[in-house]
Amino acid sequence: FTEESMIIYPNPSADVVNVVLPHADTWDLGVMDFTGRWVNTQNIITQGDMVNISVSEWSSGIYFLVCKGNGKVLKKKFVVAH
């Protein structure tokens, strides 16, 4: 798995970020802001490979999606713009 195998769209987003993850039984998913503060963490059990994250109440800015699964850690940047 690589960061390139994780797809985030739309990017930038104002409402919902859709994430397509590489196949794994379970992903630990977290979002950090640009200062390194965790703003959202949740455990996701993937049946399909799609996850939706609501960002409508988040401040505009740069965020990092961090995914841990199958012994790998993936990190990818996305933007929230209102």
Side-chain angles (χ1 to χ4, degrees), residues 8-22:
I8 299 175
Y9 69 93
N11 191 8
S13 179
D15 266 338
V16 174
V17 171
N18 302 300
V19 182
V20 180
L21 296 167

Side-chain angles (χ1 to χ4, degrees), residues 2-3 7 9 12 15-16 25 30-32 38 40 43 47 50 56 58 60 65 67 75 77:
T2 65
E3 280 80 9
I7 301 167
Y9 69 93
D15 266 338
V16 174
D25 293 331
V31 178
M32 290 189 304
W38 291 101
N40 185 27
N43 184 268
Q47 295 297 340
M50 175 73 75
S56 60
W58 297 7
S60 294
L65 180 66
C67 299
K75 183 176 174 183
K77 178 175 81 170

Side-chain angles (χ1 to χ4, degrees), residues 2-81:
T2 65
E3 280 80 9
E4 291 79 28
S5 62
M6 181 172 53
I7 301 167
I8 299 175
Y9 69 93
N11 191 8
S13 179
D15 266 338
V16 174
V17 171
N18 302 300
V19 182
V20 180
L21 296 167
H23 179 72
D25 293 331
T26 302
W27 284 103
D28 288 321
L29 176 70
V31 178
M32 290 189 304
D33 65 15
F34 70 96
T35 66
R37 181 178 61 95
W38 291 101
V39 295
N40 185 27
T41 58
Q42 51 188 307
N43 184 268
I44 305 276
I45 297 174
T46 57
Q47 295 297 340
D49 298 328
M50 175 73 75
V51 176
N52 302 313
I53 302 171
S54 175
V55 297
S56 60
E57 296 183 16
W58 297 7
S59 299
S60 294
I62 297 171
Y63 294 85
F64 296 91
L65 180 66
V66 180
C67 299
K68 298 177 185 177
N70 286 2
K72 300 276 187 175
V73 177
L74 304 178
K75 183 176 174 183
K76 196 158 190 176
K77 178 175 81 170
F78 69 95
V79 176
V80 173

